Amino acid sequence: QVRLVDTGGGMVQAGGSLRLSCAASGRTSSNYGMGWFRQAPGKEREFVVGISGSGSDTRYADSVKGRFTISRVIARNAVFLQMDSLKAEDTAVYYCVASPQVIPTDVSYVTYWGQGTQVTVSS
């Protein structure tokens, strides 16, 4: 089992920045792809960003390209999401995710979920 704890959410004005963190514990390894999904009220959960086990490969949803940056510290079993130029439409609960062998870009690829952290962007 892998446990994911995601933190760092909060409230910010449009144009501002937030940094999310996700710490993994349990049966983790550098073969796990990790990332974030988000779910806004009344909407389905959607892919935001993902990173490979080595940290050398990343994936971004078109809606966040150029504004969000994912990074990984393998020795700490942690990933970070720097969110800049935030927009009101980024408001959602953000979930850290992990999957063995693949970058989780679809809900069907996700093996483990964090508990979620709320991000609210006011316009």
Side-chain angles (χ1 to χ4, degrees), residues 88-115:
E89 51 264 43
D90 294 318
T91 296
V93 177
Y94 284 68
Y95 297 90
C96 179
V97 298
S99 294
Q101 307 295 335
V102 299
I103 299 175
T105 57
D106 187 88
V107 171
S108 62
Y109 297 158
V110 177
T111 303
Y112 300 103
W113 294 87
Q115 83 282 4

Short mmCIF file of all heavy atoms in Angstrom, two decimals, residues 88-115:
data_model
loop_
_atom_site.label_atom_id
_atom_site.label_comp_id
_atom_site.label_asym_id
_atom_site.label_seq_id
_atom_site.Cartn_x
_atom_site.Cartn_y
_atom_site.Cartn_z
N ALA A 88 -9.69 31.92 -11.74
CA ALA A 88 -10.87 31.47 -10.99
C ALA A 88 -11.25 30.05 -11.37
O ALA A 88 -11.68 29.26 -10.52
CB ALA A 88 -12.03 32.42 -11.23
N GLU A 89 -11.05 29.70 -12.63
CA GLU A 89 -11.42 28.36 -13.10
C GLU A 89 -10.47 27.26 -12.60
O GLU A 89 -10.71 26.09 -12.83
CB GLU A 89 -11.51 28.31 -14.63
CG GLU A 89 -10.30 28.87 -15.35
CD GLU A 89 -10.50 30.32 -15.77
OE1 GLU A 89 -11.03 31.12 -14.95
OE2 GLU A 89 -10.11 30.66 -16.90
N ASP A 90 -9.40 27.65 -11.92
CA ASP A 90 -8.53 26.66 -11.28
C ASP A 90 -9.07 26.22 -9.92
O ASP A 90 -8.53 25.31 -9.30
CB ASP A 90 -7.11 27.23 -11.08
CG ASP A 90 -6.41 27.50 -12.39
OD1 ASP A 90 -6.51 26.66 -13.31
OD2 ASP A 90 -5.74 28.56 -12.50
N THR A 91 -10.13 26.87 -9.46
CA THR A 91 -10.72 26.51 -8.18
C THR A 91 -11.23 25.07 -8.20
O THR A 91 -12.03 24.71 -9.06
CB THR A 91 -11.87 27.46 -7.84
OG1 THR A 91 -11.36 28.79 -7.67
CG2 THR A 91 -12.59 27.03 -6.57
N ALA A 92 -10.75 24.27 -7.26
CA ALA A 92 -11.12 22.85 -7.22
C ALA A 92 -10.45 22.20 -6.01
O ALA A 92 -9.59 22.81 -5.36
CB ALA A 92 -10.67 22.14 -8.49
N VAL A 93 -10.84 20.97 -5.75
CA VAL A 93 -10.08 20.13 -4.83
C VAL A 93 -9.01 19.41 -5.65
O VAL A 93 -9.33 18.78 -6.66
CB VAL A 93 -10.98 19.11 -4.11
CG1 VAL A 93 -10.13 18.22 -3.20
CG2 VAL A 93 -12.04 19.83 -3.29
N TYR A 94 -7.77 19.52 -5.23
CA TYR A 94 -6.66 18.91 -5.94
C TYR A 94 -6.23 17.63 -5.21
O TYR A 94 -6.01 17.64 -3.99
CB TYR A 94 -5.49 19.88 -6.02
CG TYR A 94 -5.70 20.96 -7.05
CD1 TYR A 94 -6.67 21.94 -6.87
CD2 TYR A 94 -4.96 21.00 -8.23
CE1 TYR A 94 -6.89 22.93 -7.82
CE2 TYR A 94 -5.16 21.98 -9.19
CZ TYR A 94 -6.13 22.94 -8.98
OH TYR A 94 -6.34 23.91 -9.94
N TYR A 95 -6.11 16.55 -5.98
CA TYR A 95 -5.77 15.24 -5.44
C TYR A 95 -4.42 14.77 -5.96
O TYR A 95 -4.24 14.69 -7.19
CB TYR A 95 -6.82 14.21 -5.81
CG TYR A 95 -8.19 14.47 -5.27
CD1 TYR A 95 -9.12 15.23 -5.98
CD2 TYR A 95 -8.58 13.97 -4.03
CE1 TYR A 95 -10.39 15.48 -5.49
CE2 TYR A 95 -9.84 14.21 -3.52
CZ TYR A 95 -10.74 14.97 -4.26
OH TYR A 95 -11.99 15.21 -3.76
N CYS A 96 -3.52 14.46 -5.07
CA CYS A 96 -2.27 13.81 -5.46
C CYS A 96 -2.56 12.36 -5.84
O CYS A 96 -3.41 11.71 -5.19
CB CYS A 96 -1.29 13.87 -4.29
SG CYS A 96 0.30 13.08 -4.63
N VAL A 97 -1.89 11.86 -6.86
CA VAL A 97 -2.12 10.49 -7.32
C VAL A 97 -0.79 9.80 -7.59
O VAL A 97 0.24 10.45 -7.80
CB VAL A 97 -2.97 10.46 -8.61
CG1 VAL A 97 -4.35 11.06 -8.36
CG2 VAL A 97 -2.27 11.18 -9.74
N ALA A 98 -0.84 8.47 -7.60
CA ALA A 98 0.34 7.67 -7.90
C ALA A 98 -0.06 6.37 -8.56
O ALA A 98 -1.14 5.82 -8.26
CB ALA A 98 1.13 7.39 -6.62
N SER A 99 0.81 5.90 -9.46
CA SER A 99 0.56 4.63 -10.13
C SER A 99 1.89 3.98 -10.46
O SER A 99 2.84 4.68 -10.85
CB SER A 99 -0.22 4.85 -11.43
OG SER A 99 -1.51 5.33 -11.17
N PRO A 100 1.98 2.66 -10.35
CA PRO A 100 3.23 1.98 -10.70
C PRO A 100 3.45 1.98 -12.21
O PRO A 100 2.51 1.76 -12.98
CB PRO A 100 3.04 0.56 -10.17
CG PRO A 100 1.56 0.38 -10.10
CD PRO A 100 0.98 1.72 -9.82
N GLN A 101 4.64 2.29 -12.64
CA GLN A 101 5.09 2.15 -14.02
C GLN A 101 4.62 3.23 -14.99
O GLN A 101 5.25 3.42 -16.03
CB GLN A 101 4.68 0.77 -14.59
CG GLN A 101 5.12 -0.40 -13.75
CD GLN A 101 6.62 -0.56 -13.68
OE1 GLN A 101 7.33 -0.12 -14.57
NE2 GLN A 101 7.11 -1.15 -12.60
N VAL A 102 3.52 3.92 -14.73
CA VAL A 102 2.99 4.86 -15.71
C VAL A 102 2.79 6.24 -15.10
O VAL A 102 2.65 6.38 -13.88
CB VAL A 102 1.65 4.38 -16.30
CG1 VAL A 102 1.83 3.06 -17.02
CG2 VAL A 102 0.59 4.29 -15.22
N ILE A 103 2.76 7.26 -15.97
CA ILE A 103 2.33 8.59 -15.53
C ILE A 103 0.82 8.58 -15.56
O ILE A 103 0.22 8.38 -16.63
CB ILE A 103 2.88 9.69 -16.47
CG1 ILE A 103 4.41 9.68 -16.47
CG2 ILE A 103 2.36 11.06 -16.03
CD1 ILE A 103 5.02 10.67 -17.46
N PRO A 104 0.16 8.79 -14.44
CA PRO A 104 -1.29 8.71 -14.39
C PRO A 104 -1.96 9.92 -15.03
O PRO A 104 -2.11 10.96 -14.39
CB PRO A 104 -1.59 8.63 -12.89
CG PRO A 104 -0.43 9.30 -12.24
CD PRO A 104 0.76 9.07 -13.12
N THR A 105 -2.33 9.79 -16.30
CA THR A 105 -2.97 10.89 -17.03
C THR A 105 -4.47 10.68 -17.18
O THR A 105 -5.16 11.55 -17.75
CB THR A 105 -2.34 11.05 -18.42
OG1 THR A 105 -2.46 9.79 -19.12
CG2 THR A 105 -0.88 11.42 -18.32
N ASP A 106 -4.97 9.57 -16.73
CA ASP A 106 -6.39 9.27 -16.80
C ASP A 106 -6.81 8.64 -15.48
O ASP A 106 -6.00 7.94 -14.85
CB ASP A 106 -6.67 8.32 -17.96
CG ASP A 106 -8.15 8.10 -18.19
OD1 ASP A 106 -8.75 8.90 -18.95
OD2 ASP A 106 -8.71 7.16 -17.61
N VAL A 107 -8.05 8.86 -15.10
CA VAL A 107 -8.54 8.29 -13.85
C VAL A 107 -8.34 6.78 -13.81
O VAL A 107 -8.01 6.20 -12.77
CB VAL A 107 -10.03 8.65 -13.65
CG1 VAL A 107 -10.61 7.88 -12.46
CG2 VAL A 107 -10.20 10.14 -13.42
N SER A 108 -8.49 6.14 -14.94
CA SER A 108 -8.36 4.68 -14.99
C SER A 108 -6.93 4.21 -14.73
O SER A 108 -6.72 3.04 -14.43
CB SER A 108 -8.84 4.15 -16.34
OG SER A 108 -8.04 4.67 -17.39
N TYR A 109 -5.95 5.10 -14.85
CA TYR A 109 -4.56 4.74 -14.60
C TYR A 109 -4.16 4.91 -13.14
O TYR A 109 -3.08 4.49 -12.74
CB TYR A 109 -3.63 5.61 -15.44
CG TYR A 109 -3.77 5.48 -16.94
CD1 TYR A 109 -3.33 6.50 -17.79
CD2 TYR A 109 -4.34 4.37 -17.51
CE1 TYR A 109 -3.46 6.40 -19.16
CE2 TYR A 109 -4.49 4.25 -18.89
CZ TYR A 109 -4.03 5.27 -19.70
OH TYR A 109 -4.17 5.17 -21.06
N VAL A 110 -4.99 5.57 -12.35
CA VAL A 110 -4.61 5.91 -10.99
C VAL A 110 -4.82 4.73 -10.05
O VAL A 110 -5.90 4.14 -10.01
CB VAL A 110 -5.42 7.12 -10.49
CG1 VAL A 110 -5.07 7.41 -9.03
CG2 VAL A 110 -5.16 8.34 -11.35
N THR A 111 -3.76 4.43 -9.29
CA THR A 111 -3.85 3.35 -8.31
C THR A 111 -4.10 3.90 -6.90
O THR A 111 -4.84 3.30 -6.12
CB THR A 111 -2.56 2.52 -8.31
OG1 THR A 111 -2.33 2.01 -9.64
CG2 THR A 111 -2.65 1.35 -7.33
N TYR A 112 -3.44 5.00 -6.58
CA TYR A 112 -3.56 5.58 -5.24
C TYR A 112 -3.95 7.05 -5.33
O TYR A 112 -3.49 7.78 -6.21
CB TYR A 112 -2.24 5.45 -4.48
CG TYR A 112 -1.77 4.04 -4.31
CD1 TYR A 112 -0.76 3.52 -5.11
CD2 TYR A 112 -2.37 3.20 -3.37
CE1 TYR A 112 -0.33 2.20 -4.96
CE2 TYR A 112 -1.95 1.89 -3.22
CZ TYR A 112 -0.94 1.40 -4.02
OH TYR A 112 -0.54 0.10 -3.86
N TRP A 113 -4.78 7.47 -4.37
CA TRP A 113 -5.25 8.85 -4.28
C TRP A 113 -4.90 9.45 -2.92
O TRP A 113 -4.99 8.77 -1.91
CB TRP A 113 -6.76 8.91 -4.44
CG TRP A 113 -7.28 8.51 -5.79
CD1 TRP A 113 -7.58 7.24 -6.21
CD2 TRP A 113 -7.59 9.37 -6.88
NE1 TRP A 113 -8.03 7.27 -7.50
CE2 TRP A 113 -8.06 8.56 -7.94
CE3 TRP A 113 -7.51 10.76 -7.09
CZ2 TRP A 113 -8.44 9.08 -9.18
CZ3 TRP A 113 -7.90 11.27 -8.31
CH2 TRP A 113 -8.35 10.43 -9.34
N GLY A 114 -4.55 10.73 -2.94
CA GLY A 114 -4.42 11.46 -1.69
C GLY A 114 -5.80 11.90 -1.22
O GLY A 114 -6.81 11.65 -1.89
N GLN A 115 -5.83 12.57 -0.07
CA GLN A 115 -7.12 12.95 0.51
C GLN A 115 -7.68 14.22 -0.11
O GLN A 115 -8.88 14.51 0.04
CB GLN A 115 -6.97 13.14 2.04
CG GLN A 115 -6.44 14.50 2.48
CD GLN A 115 -4.95 14.65 2.32
OE1 GLN A 115 -4.24 13.76 1.79
NE2 GLN A 115 -4.41 15.77 2.78
#
